[in-house]
Amino acid sequence: DAGVIQSPRHEVTEMGQEVTLRCKPISGHDYLFWYRQTMMRGLELLIYFNNNVPIDDSGMPEDRFSAKMPNASFSTLKIQPSEPRDSAVYFCASSRAGTGAIYEQYFGPGTRLTVT
Amino acid sequence: QQPVQSPQAVILREGEDAVINCSSSKALYSVHWYRQKHGEAPVFLMILLKGGEQKGHDKISASFNEKKQQSSLYLTASQLSYSGTYFCGTGDAGNNRKLIWGLGTSLAVNP
């Protein structure tokens, strides 16, 4: 079974440009998570979806960030306009509903974003 | 609110043991442990719940101390493959999918 797929793997862009990160979760998984990882702040949950519906977006830094999940097999995270402080590794993860509160997340390989 | 992990870094020789701690200022409901190798994605190791339920890999063990609001990960007879950064994520009963992650513990196992 293929794991979580993310594209692009690396993105270098100039400040002010729009950036779109893509994620394909594992087939059959009900939950999808977007994370940002930096040395200073560690791993931060930005938003998560359940059955394509956004459940908690309290971690989205500001209005420049938006995420969508139009169907069970695709999600995007968009940053518009991008700023240098957005430079980070962005991970997408997915999980099954699990048994009660027991579940494990499967992370994608990440997208390393550099904004100059 | 971010859990505190200790130690920040540890260096072992192959075969030695290590304990990594994760302390929370909030009451714990769930603790998730993941390992990340350099340049790779985090990989699930274990989940522990208040009440004792847990799931994880056979070679990994961990504890959940509700009173101390702390979880510990035990790495015994370490192997070279154990090297990496270990993260704990904590969840609460109201929103168990929203994990707050510690900054990680870097573990290096040398021959």
Side-chain angles (χ1 to χ4, degrees), chain B residues 31-80:
Chain B
V31 180
H32 305 237
W33 287 97
Y34 284 70
R35 177 173 61 213
Q36 184 178 28
K37 293 185 179 289
H38 184 68
E40 298 181 9
V43 174
F44 172 80
L45 294 176
M46 175 158 273
I47 177 173
L48 304 99
L49 298 185
K50 177 181 175 179
E53 195 174 1
Q54 65 182 50
K55 174 186 174 184
H57 295 288
D58 291 341
K59 294 185 178 180
I60 301 285
S61 65
S63 64
F64 184 109
N65 189 319
E66 195 178 335
K67 279 187 180 179
K68 289 186 176 180
Q69 295 175 181
Q70 177 177 297
S71 175
S72 297
L73 187 70
Y74 303 97
L75 303 170
T76 57
S78 59
Q79 304 171 16
L80 296 176

Side-chain angles (χ1 to χ4, degrees), chain A residues 31 33 35 37 39-43 45 48 56 58 91 95-105 107-109, chain B residues 2 29-30 32 34 36 39-44 47 49 53-55 57 87 95-103:
Chain A
Y31 287 85
F33 306 83
Y35 288 97
Q37 186 176 42
M39 288 296 293
M40 290 298 295
R41 299 171 70 97
L43 200 58
L45 176 66
Y48 77 88
D56 190 322
S58 58
F91 286 104
S95 74
R96 291 190 182 91
T99 304
I102 295 284
Y103 69 95
E104 56 183 279
Q105 295 186 37
F107 283 76
Chain B
Q2 188 174 40
Y29 174 72
S30 67
H32 305 237
Y34 284 70
Q36 184 178 28
E40 298 181 9
V43 174
F44 172 80
I47 177 173
L49 298 185
E53 195 174 1
Q54 65 182 50
K55 174 186 174 184
H57 295 288
F87 293 96
N95 190 351
N96 186 45
R97 302 284 165 164
K98 181 179 180 179
L99 301 182
I100 310 297
W101 298 85
L103 289 179

Side-chain angles (χ1 to χ4, degrees), chain A residues 9-10 37 39 89 91 109 112, chain B residues 35-43 80-87 105-107:
Chain A
R9 293 293 309 277
H10 301 272
Q37 186 176 42
M39 288 296 293
V89 179
F91 286 104
R112 181 173 294 277
Chain B
R35 177 173 61 213
Q36 184 178 28
K37 293 185 179 289
H38 184 68
E40 298 181 9
V43 174
L80 296 176
S81 62
Y82 287 11
S83 294
T85 301
Y86 289 76
F87 293 96
T105 294
S106 174
L107 175 72

